[in-house]
Amino acid sequence: MQDPDCIFCKIVKGEIPSYKIYEDEHALAFLDINPINEGHTLVIPKNHYETLDEAVADEIPALFSAVHKVTKGVIEGMNPEGYNIFTSAGEVAGQVVKHLHIHILPRWSGDKFRFIWPQQKLSEEKMTEIKEKISSAI
Ligand code: AMP
Ligand code: ZN
């Protein structure tokens, strides 16, 4: 199930090249074309879903199994000091390519990547209200 206009679907179909790292029935991993750090890798489902929540639940174990395998490869191959794994969903979160992808970003001390992490304290009442909203929706 591919979107003919989607750049990552074109990579899945082999219509545009990629630095392929890993492939199985459900998932594909390739180097990010504009890496934040060396070894920055993307793992995608072969089927087109825009975001994690839109993906079919049955395909998630295979996707995250590929993320696990590829993460171990990135560690073995690149010997980073650590790594971040993340996905961006929606423009507000910085998503540019509208095909679900999981970033595996190897980290070294002194690299240029920065999370801005403006933490706050919420009241107990607010935390309970939020907990109820989310847990009742699952
Ligand atoms: P985002 O949608 O912000 O999570 O990030 C999209 C990522 O895809 C960026 O890091 C891009 O550098 C990367 N990207 C875009 N086009 C390609 C491509 N053809 N091959 C590999 N990576 C790509
Ligand atoms: Zn796609």
Coordinates of all heavy atoms in Angstrom, one line a residue, residues 51-89:
T51 N 1.7 8.7 10.0 CA 2.2 8.8 11.4 C 2.0 7.5 12.1 O 1.3 6.6 11.7 CB 1.5 9.9 12.2 OG1 0.1 9.6 12.1 CG2 1.7 11.3 11.6
L52 N 2.7 7.4 13.3 CA 2.6 6.1 14.1 C 1.2 5.8 14.4 O 0.8 4.6 14.3 CB 3.4 6.3 15.4 CG 3.5 5.1 16.3 CD1 4.3 4.0 15.7 CD2 4.1 5.5 17.6
D53 N 0.4 6.7 14.8 CA -1.0 6.4 15.2 C -1.8 5.9 14.0 O -2.8 5.2 14.2 CB -1.6 7.6 15.9 CG -1.7 8.8 15.0 OD1 -0.6 9.4 14.8 OD2 -2.7 9.2 14.5
E54 N -1.4 6.3 12.8 CA -2.2 5.8 11.7 C -1.8 4.4 11.2 O -2.5 3.8 10.4 CB -2.1 6.8 10.5 CG -2.8 8.1 10.8 CD -2.8 9.1 9.7 OE1 -2.2 8.8 8.6 OE2 -3.3 10.2 9.9
A55 N -0.7 3.9 11.7 CA -0.2 2.6 11.2 C -1.1 1.5 11.8 O -1.7 1.7 12.8 CB 1.2 2.4 11.7
V56 N -1.2 0.4 11.0 CA -1.9 -0.7 11.5 C -1.2 -1.4 12.6 O 0.0 -1.7 12.5 CB -2.1 -1.7 10.3 CG1 -2.7 -3.0 10.7 CG2 -3.0 -1.1 9.2
A57 N -1.9 -1.6 13.7 CA -1.3 -2.2 14.9 C -0.5 -3.4 14.7 O 0.6 -3.6 15.3 CB -2.4 -2.4 16.0
D58 N -1.0 -4.3 13.8 CA -0.3 -5.6 13.5 C 1.1 -5.4 13.0 O 1.9 -6.3 13.0 CB -1.1 -6.4 12.4 CG -2.3 -7.0 13.0 OD1 -2.5 -6.9 14.2 OD2 -3.1 -7.6 12.2
E59 N 1.4 -4.2 12.4 CA 2.7 -4.0 11.8 C 3.7 -3.3 12.7 O 4.9 -3.3 12.4 CB 2.5 -3.1 10.5 CG 1.7 -3.8 9.4 CD 1.7 -3.0 8.1 OE1 2.6 -2.2 7.9 OE2 0.8 -3.2 7.4
I60 N 3.2 -2.9 13.9 CA 4.1 -2.2 14.8 C 5.2 -3.1 15.4 O 6.4 -2.7 15.4 CB 3.3 -1.5 15.9 CG1 2.3 -0.5 15.3 CG2 4.2 -0.9 17.0 CD1 3.0 0.6 14.5
P61 N 4.9 -4.4 15.8 CA 6.0 -5.2 16.3 C 7.1 -5.4 15.3 O 8.3 -5.3 15.6 CB 5.3 -6.5 16.6 CG 3.8 -6.1 16.8 CD 3.5 -5.0 15.9
A62 N 6.7 -5.6 14.0 CA 7.8 -5.8 13.0 C 8.6 -4.5 12.8 O 9.8 -4.5 12.7 CB 7.1 -6.1 11.7
L63 N 7.9 -3.3 12.9 CA 8.6 -2.1 12.7 C 9.6 -1.9 13.8 O 10.8 -1.5 13.6 CB 7.6 -0.9 12.7 CG 8.2 0.5 12.5 CD1 8.9 0.7 11.2 CD2 7.1 1.6 12.7
F64 N 9.2 -2.1 15.1 CA 10.1 -1.8 16.2 C 11.1 -2.9 16.4 O 12.2 -2.7 16.9 CB 9.3 -1.5 17.5 CG 8.9 -0.1 17.5 CD1 7.7 0.4 16.9 CD2 9.7 0.9 18.0 CE1 7.4 1.7 16.8 CE2 9.4 2.2 18.0 CZ 8.2 2.6 17.3
S65 N 10.8 -4.1 15.9 CA 11.9 -5.1 15.8 C 13.0 -4.7 14.9 O 14.2 -4.8 15.2 CB 11.2 -6.4 15.4 OG 12.2 -7.3 15.0
A66 N 12.6 -4.1 13.7 CA 13.6 -3.5 12.8 C 14.4 -2.4 13.5 O 15.6 -2.3 13.3 CB 12.9 -3.1 11.5
V67 N 13.7 -1.5 14.2 CA 14.3 -0.4 14.9 C 15.4 -1.0 15.9 O 16.5 -0.5 15.9 CB 13.3 0.5 15.6 CG1 14.0 1.4 16.6 CG2 12.4 1.2 14.6
H68 N 15.0 -2.0 16.6 CA 15.9 -2.7 17.5 C 17.2 -3.2 16.8 O 18.3 -2.9 17.2 CB 15.2 -3.8 18.3 CG 15.9 -4.4 19.3 ND1 16.3 -5.8 19.3 CD2 16.5 -4.0 20.5 CE1 17.0 -6.1 20.4 NE2 17.1 -5.0 21.1
K69 N 16.9 -4.0 15.7 CA 18.0 -4.6 15.0 C 19.0 -3.5 14.4 O 20.2 -3.6 14.5 CB 17.5 -5.3 13.8 CG 17.0 -6.7 14.0 CD 16.9 -7.5 12.7 CE 16.4 -8.9 13.0 NZ 15.0 -9.1 12.7
V70 N 18.4 -2.4 13.8 CA 19.2 -1.4 13.2 C 19.9 -0.6 14.2 O 21.1 -0.2 14.0 CB 18.3 -0.5 12.3 CG1 19.1 0.6 11.7 CG2 17.7 -1.4 11.1
T71 N 19.3 -0.4 15.4 CA 20.0 0.4 16.5 C 21.2 -0.4 16.9 O 22.3 0.2 17.0 CB 19.0 0.5 17.7 OG1 17.9 1.3 17.3 CG2 19.7 1.2 18.9
K72 N 21.1 -1.7 17.0 CA 22.3 -2.5 17.3 C 23.4 -2.4 16.3 O 24.6 -2.3 16.6 CB 21.9 -4.0 17.6 CG 21.2 -4.1 18.9 CD 20.6 -5.5 19.1 CE 21.2 -6.3 20.2 NZ 21.7 -5.8 21.4
G73 N 22.9 -2.3 15.0 CA 23.9 -2.2 13.9 C 24.6 -0.8 13.9 O 25.8 -0.7 13.7
V74 N 23.8 0.2 14.2 CA 24.4 1.6 14.3 C 25.4 1.6 15.4 O 26.5 2.2 15.3 CB 23.2 2.6 14.5 CG1 23.8 4.0 14.9 CG2 22.4 2.7 13.2
I75 N 25.1 1.0 16.6 CA 26.0 1.0 17.7 C 27.3 0.2 17.3 O 28.4 0.7 17.5 CB 25.3 0.3 18.9 CG1 24.2 1.2 19.4 CG2 26.4 0.1 20.0 CD1 23.3 0.5 20.5
E76 N 27.1 -1.0 16.8 CA 28.3 -1.8 16.4 C 29.1 -1.1 15.3 O 30.4 -1.1 15.4 CB 27.7 -3.1 15.9 CG 28.7 -4.2 15.6 CD 29.2 -4.9 16.9 OE1 28.5 -4.8 17.9 OE2 30.2 -5.5 16.9
G77 N 28.4 -0.5 14.3 CA 29.2 0.1 13.2 C 29.8 1.4 13.5 O 30.8 1.8 12.9
M78 N 29.1 2.2 14.3 CA 29.5 3.6 14.5 C 30.1 3.9 15.9 O 30.7 5.0 16.1 CB 28.3 4.6 14.2 CG 27.7 4.5 12.8 SD 28.9 4.8 11.5 CE 29.3 6.5 11.8
N79 N 29.9 3.0 16.8 CA 30.4 3.1 18.2 C 30.1 4.5 18.8 O 31.0 5.2 19.3 CB 32.0 2.9 18.1 CG 32.5 2.6 19.4 OD1 31.9 2.1 20.3 ND2 33.8 3.0 19.7
P80 N 28.8 4.9 18.8 CA 28.5 6.2 19.4 C 28.5 6.1 20.9 O 28.6 4.9 21.5 CB 27.0 6.4 19.0 CG 26.5 5.0 18.8 CD 27.6 4.2 18.3
E81 N 28.5 7.2 21.6 CA 28.4 7.2 23.1 C 27.0 7.0 23.6 O 26.8 6.7 24.7 CB 29.0 8.6 23.6 CG 30.5 8.7 23.3 CD 30.9 10.2 23.6 OE1 30.4 10.8 24.5 OE2 31.8 10.7 22.8
G82 N 26.1 7.3 22.7 CA 24.7 7.1 23.1 C 23.8 7.3 21.8 O 24.4 7.4 20.7
Y83 N 22.5 7.3 22.0 CA 21.6 7.6 20.8 C 20.3 8.1 21.3 O 19.9 7.9 22.4 CB 21.5 6.3 19.9 CG 20.9 5.1 20.7 CD1 19.6 4.8 20.8 CD2 21.8 4.2 21.3 CE1 19.1 3.7 21.5 CE2 21.3 3.1 22.0 CZ 20.0 2.9 22.1 OH 19.5 1.8 22.8
N84 N 19.6 8.8 20.3 CA 18.2 9.1 20.5 C 17.4 8.4 19.4 O 17.9 8.3 18.3 CB 18.0 10.6 20.4 CG 18.6 11.4 21.5 OD1 19.7 12.1 21.3 ND2 18.0 11.4 22.7
I85 N 16.2 8.0 19.8 CA 15.3 7.5 18.9 C 14.0 8.3 18.9 O 13.5 8.5 20.0 CB 15.0 6.0 19.2 CG1 16.2 5.2 18.9 CG2 13.8 5.5 18.4 CD1 16.1 3.7 19.2
F86 N 13.5 8.8 17.8 CA 12.3 9.6 17.8 C 11.6 9.6 16.5 O 12.2 9.2 15.5 CB 12.7 11.1 18.2 CG 13.6 11.8 17.3 CD1 13.1 12.6 16.2 CD2 15.0 11.6 17.4 CE1 14.0 13.2 15.4 CE2 15.9 12.3 16.5 CZ 15.4 13.1 15.5
T87 N 10.3 10.0 16.6 CA 9.5 10.2 15.3 C 8.8 11.5 15.5 O 8.4 11.9 16.6 CB 8.6 9.0 15.1 OG1 8.0 9.2 13.8 CG2 7.5 8.9 16.2
S88 N 8.6 12.2 14.4 CA 7.9 13.5 14.4 C 6.6 13.3 13.7 O 6.6 12.7 12.6 CB 8.7 14.6 13.8 OG 10.0 14.7 14.4
A89 N 5.5 13.7 14.3 CA 4.2 13.6 13.7 C 3.5 14.9 13.6 O 3.2 15.6 14.6 CB 3.3 12.6 14.5

